[in-house]
Amino acid sequence: MASRPELKAPPEIFYNDTEARKYTSSSRIIEIQAKLSERALELLALPDDGVPRLLLDIGCGSGLSGETLSEHGHQWIGLDISQSMLNIAVEREVEGDLLLGDMGQGLGFRPGVIDGAISISAVQWLCNADKSSHEPRLRLKAFFGSLYRCLARGARAVFQVYPESIAQRELILSAAMRAGFAGGVVIDFPHSTKSRKEFLVLTCGPPSIRSELPKGKEGDMESCSDDDSSEDEENQTVCISDRHRPRKKQKITKKGKGREWVLKKKEQMRRKGNVVPPDSKYTARKRKGRF
Amino acid sequence: MRLLTHNMLSSNIKGVTNGFPLRIEVEKAIEKQVDFNPDFLKNMFPKIDWKALLDASRTMGYAELPDETPDSSMLDSDEFLRKFHHALLELHLEEGALVCPETGRKFPVNKGIPNMLLHEDEV
C-alpha cells in the first residue's frame, strides 16, 4: 500500500498547511473521523452518569475527533505533533485545549489525573523511525509508560489504529502490555476490507470485570466457514480435462445464477457490513417479460 | 491554554524529577465564556493541585481564589464554584511561556498552544 501517509513523510512534515487544510475540508474524512471517535468513545465505556470527564485526545489533528467529545459534553486536551493541523484547530475554535507535542517523547502529565484517552489513526505513526534518534520500541515504551502513569486507575484508553502488518500490531500491543495495560484488540467488520476497523482497548490497572473486552461490530453473527470454502473454489486451478470440456457444459444454467447464489452473495455483503436489502419472496425473481 | 491543562501538565525532560508546576510567563491572557457545570467541577476538584492553581490564577491576574486549600464542604457553595470555574476553565494563556521549575527550560506558548516538543538531548 503506497498510499499510506506513514510511508511518505514524518507526521510533522506530511501534515503541512496544504495537507492539513485538505484533510479538514474533506467531508468524507470528517464523517469517518466523527464515526470513529463516536465508536472510540463508546468503547471507552465511561460511567453513564452525565458527568463530564477530562479526556485526552492523542494525535488530535485539527480537532475533528475532539468535536465529538465536546458534543458529549466532555472536557479534553488534545496533543499533536503537526503545527499546521493545530493552527486549523485554532481556526475552527475547538473547545478543548491543544498541545504541540510528540507522543513518542512521553506525555508530560501529572499521575492519575486523566479519566480516559482516545486516539484516532495516530499510534501507528510511532512504528516509524523518522529521525536517526528514533527507536520505535523506545518511543512506544515512553508513550505507553507515560500514558499509564497519567491515567486514573480503572480508566480506559481506546486507540483506533491502522497497523501496516500483523507484526506492527504485535509490536504496539506488546508495548502496551509491557507498560501494564490490560486489554486487546476489538475489530469491527472483520470480513470487510473497506469498513474493517481496529481498536486497541486498554484498561489501566489490574484486570477486572470492567476490563473485559467489548465485542466488535459485525454485519451478521454467522461464522465465516462458507465464505472460506467459496474462496477455495475460486482459487483452485483448472484441470486440463476441464479445459477440453465442450463449451456448452461450462455455462451454469440458462436461467442465470439462481436464488441460492443471490442469497449467498447478499450474506457475504452483510458480513462485510454493507447495507443490503432484506431477503423476501421476491429476492432473485426475474422480471416479467413485458416490463 | 486553560489553567485546567496547566494544572495537569508537568515537564517531562529527561532527568527532571519534579517538573510540576510549570511557572507561567504571561504576555497575553484572555477570557472565554464557558458553560458552568458543577458536576464536572466536583468531579475534578480532588485531582486539582490547589497551590498550583492558586499561583497560576494570581499570575494571570485573577486574585479571587481563597488562599487556603478549600475542603470538600466548600463545593456546595455556588459562589466558590463560580470562582473555581472561572479560574479553571475561563482563563486562557494566549501568548507567553511555561517554564520548567527545575531546569528553567522555556516552553513557548503561541496562539494558546504550548510547544511541548523536546530537543533530542532532552528525551
Side-chain angles (χ1 to χ4, degrees), chain A residues 152-163:
Chain A
R153 293 306 91 170
R156 277 191 181 187
V158 177
F159 306 122
Q160 187 270 319
V161 281
Y162 291 114

Side-chain angles (χ1 to χ4, degrees), chain A residues 75 97 100 108 110 115, chain B residues 2 5 7-8 10 47 116:
Chain A
Q75 298 288 346
D97 268 343
L100 178 66
R110 276 199 296 138
D115 295 318
Chain B
R2 296 168 297 188
T5 309
N7 212 284
M8 302 301 152
S10 73
K47 292 179 187 165
M116 302 303 286

Side-chain angles (χ1 to χ4, degrees), chain A:
Chain A
M1 273 203 275
S3 61
R4 293 179 69 93
E6 292 88 19
L7 300 181
K8 285 184 182 158
E12 65 272 32
I13 293 168
F14 178 78
Y15 288 113
N16 54 14
D17 286 343
T18 29
E19 194 65 33
R21 199 159 296 278
K22 211 162 72 187
Y23 193 89
T24 320
S25 52
S26 155
S27 61
R28 187 181 132 264
I29 289 182
I30 293 176
E31 195 194 319
I32 293 177
Q33 288 275 323
K35 255 191 209 157
L36 288 177
S37 17
E38 191 76 31
R39 176 73 175 138
L41 194 61
E42 191 184 320
L43 289 172
L44 210 52
L46 294 167
D48 190 19
D49 49 8
V51 178
R53 310 277 157 169
L54 180 63
L55 304 180
L56 200 60
D57 184 356
I58 299 153
C60 63
S62 48
L64 292 174
S65 40
E67 224 154 71
T68 311
L69 300 181
S70 294
E71 271 167 31
H72 286 261
H74 298 295
Q75 298 288 346
W76 54 277
I77 301 174
L79 178 87
D80 206 283
I81 196 173
S82 159
Q83 179 76 57
S84 310
M85 280 294 220
L86 292 175
N87 287 344
I88 303 240
V90 171
E91 255 174 54
R92 285 157 43 85
E93 298 186 340
V94 292
E95 283 176 39
D97 268 343
L98 305 164
L99 299 175
L100 178 66
D102 182 359
M103 56 179 164
Q105 295 176 342
L107 312 165
F109 291 103
R110 276 199 296 138
V113 288
I114 309 282
D115 295 318
I118 68 162
S119 160
I120 307 297
S121 327
V123 177
Q124 72 266 17
W125 286 96
L126 277 179
C127 299
N128 295 6
D130 293 321
K131 291 179 189 156
S132 56
S133 60
H134 283 187
E135 163 65 57
R137 260 171 223 284
L138 291 182
R139 284 166 60 74
L140 279 165
K141 189 180 158 202
F143 169 64
F144 281 114
S146 59
L147 181 70
Y148 191 86
R149 241 173 289 133
C150 74
L151 284 179
R153 293 306 91 170
R156 277 191 181 187
V158 177
F159 306 122
Q160 187 270 319
V161 281
Y162 291 114
E164 201 173 5
S165 58
I166 296 170
Q168 205 172 70
R169 186 200 300 149
E170 285 294 305
L171 182 70
I172 297 174
L173 205 56
S174 68
M177 297 298 145
R178 223 165 280 155
F181 283 106
V185 184
V186 173
I187 303 179
D188 283 359
F189 305 119
H191 299 293
S192 166
T193 40
K194 225 167 43 179
S195 46
R196 175 195 169 98
K197 292 286 178 281
E198 289 190 16
F199 291 90
L200 221 62
V201 181
L202 304 172
T203 313
C204 217
S208 66
I209 316 159
R210 244 178 74 78
S211 64
E212 196 178 301
L213 271 190
K215 279 266 180 327
K217 278 187 191 165
E218 276 194 61
D220 215 306
M221 301 306 205
E222 283 211 354
S223 67
C224 55
S225 55
D226 57 353
D227 193 33
D228 289 346
S229 64
S230 66
E231 252 175 38
D232 284 349
E233 275 169 24
E234 282 164 23
N235 290 341
Q236 267 172 10
T237 46
V238 183
C239 297
I240 299 178
S241 59
D242 281 345
R243 257 193 256 157
H244 297 299
R245 225 168 25 176
R247 287 227 115 219
K248 251 189 184 173
K249 272 191 181 172
Q250 279 192 354
K251 279 189 186 165
I252 309 160
T253 42
K254 262 191 177 170
K255 277 180 185 167
K257 305 258 166 128
R259 183 177 160 84
E260 225 172 90
W261 182 86
V262 171
L263 286 180
K264 197 181 93 186
K265 281 291 174 191
K266 286 178 84 172
E267 199 51 53
Q268 275 179 16
M269 285 302 145
R270 239 171 248 142
R271 231 177 285 133
K272 283 188 173 185
N274 295 356
V275 184
V276 181
D279 299 334
S280 74
K281 63 177 182 178
Y282 301 109
T283 303
R285 262 200 211 175
K286 277 238 160 198
R287 280 197 204 283
K288 287 255 169 70
R290 62 182 154 79
F291 178 74

